[in-house]
Amino acid sequence: MKKVLTFVLTGLAISVAASAWAEGGNAEAGKTKSATCAACHGADGNSVNPEWPKLAGQHPSYIAKQLANFKEDARSNPSMSPMAKPLSEQDMADLAAYFSSQVKKPGEADQTKVALGEQMYKGGNNATGVAACAACHGPTGTGNPASNFPSLSGQHATYIKNQLNAFRKGERANDAGKMMRNVAAKMTDAEIEAVAEYIAGLK
């Protein structure tokens, strides 16, 4: 419980700044500006490539934060970093407003792996100190916009798996208080794969 409380309080500390990035976003302007994004993420934010995240329905503050992180090199990706560099704060707010207003298409899970995935998502692994995903991302994966914890439900399993591996290796380090790095570092390959599949099937 103490570990969960720490995660939540740390998230709350960064929520004000993240919300500020997304304030004043115009969805119609964002739709116009999203033409380049559509090549990878889909015109409505529902990417068809499992390695690229679905943006539809994601919290606007989270989208804006990730774009700002890519722009500032706090998060690195050979495809996204160059795209984010020329964006203004208004551009990021508009894009966040547009994609968050779209409806996320449901995902599909590998049913042979969801039992372990559900166990990890809802209860973590007390023996190895892995916190339950639900503590921050909610029982149905809707996240917590007030704390800037992203919505995960229906996200591509491959994308989730890749991000957990990146956190585990320290290749992604834009998580507040090392929350995700600390969790992923204690997860096995099987646990990462299973929880990614479970998340993909959440509705």
Side-chain angles (χ1 to χ4, degrees):
M1 178 61 73
K2 194 177 292 183
K3 191 179 296 181
V4 169
L5 208 53
T6 302
F7 285 179
V8 173
L9 290 175
T10 306
L12 284 171
I14 62 168
S15 64
V16 174
S19 295
W21 288 328
E23 279 179 9
N26 182 294
E28 280 303 311
K31 182 177 182 179
T32 301
K33 296 174 182 179
S34 72
T36 305
C37 313
C40 293
H41 296 288
D44 63 350
N46 284 288
S47 66
V48 293
N49 186 322
E51 294 195 1
W52 298 326
K54 296 177 184 177
L55 302 180
Q58 185 59 267
H59 308 308
S61 58
Y62 185 77
I63 294 174
K65 178 186 183 295
Q66 299 312 304
L67 288 172
N69 286 172
F70 281 125
K71 180 182 176 72
E72 298 158 2
D73 295 319
R75 182 178 176 185
S76 180
N77 178 277
S79 297
M80 276 304 305
S81 297
M83 293 292 182
K85 293 293 183 187
L87 297 178
S88 67
E89 287 189 13
Q90 188 62 53
D91 292 335
M92 290 186 272
D94 292 343
L95 288 167
Y98 171 66
F99 284 117
S100 67
S101 71
Q102 302 304 295
V103 178
K104 185 193 302 179
K105 293 179 180 177
E108 291 184 11
D110 181 341
Q111 294 302 312
T112 66
K113 298 172 182 172
V114 294
L116 173 59
E118 182 176 17
Q119 176 186 320
M120 293 299 300
Y121 188 88
K122 293 181 177 180
N125 186 334
N126 290 329
T128 57
V130 178
C133 309
C136 292
H137 297 286
T140 59
T142 55
N144 184 337
S147 299
N148 212 26
F149 298 141
S151 170
L152 299 180
S153 62
Q155 187 58 266
H156 295 303
T158 298
Y159 178 75
I160 294 291
K161 178 181 173 181
N162 289 345
Q163 296 311 303
L164 285 172
N165 278 317
F167 279 125
R168 183 168 64 171
K169 296 173 184 175
E171 295 171 351
R172 179 174 173 183
N174 68 328
D175 51 326
K178 295 187 176 181
M179 287 187 289
M180 284 306 305
R181 279 171 284 176
N182 290 337
V183 169
K186 299 171 185 174
M187 296 179 73
T188 66
D189 289 344
E191 288 173 340
I192 285 177
E193 190 163 354
V195 82
E197 289 294 340
Y198 179 73
I199 286 169
L202 279 175
K203 296 178 176 63

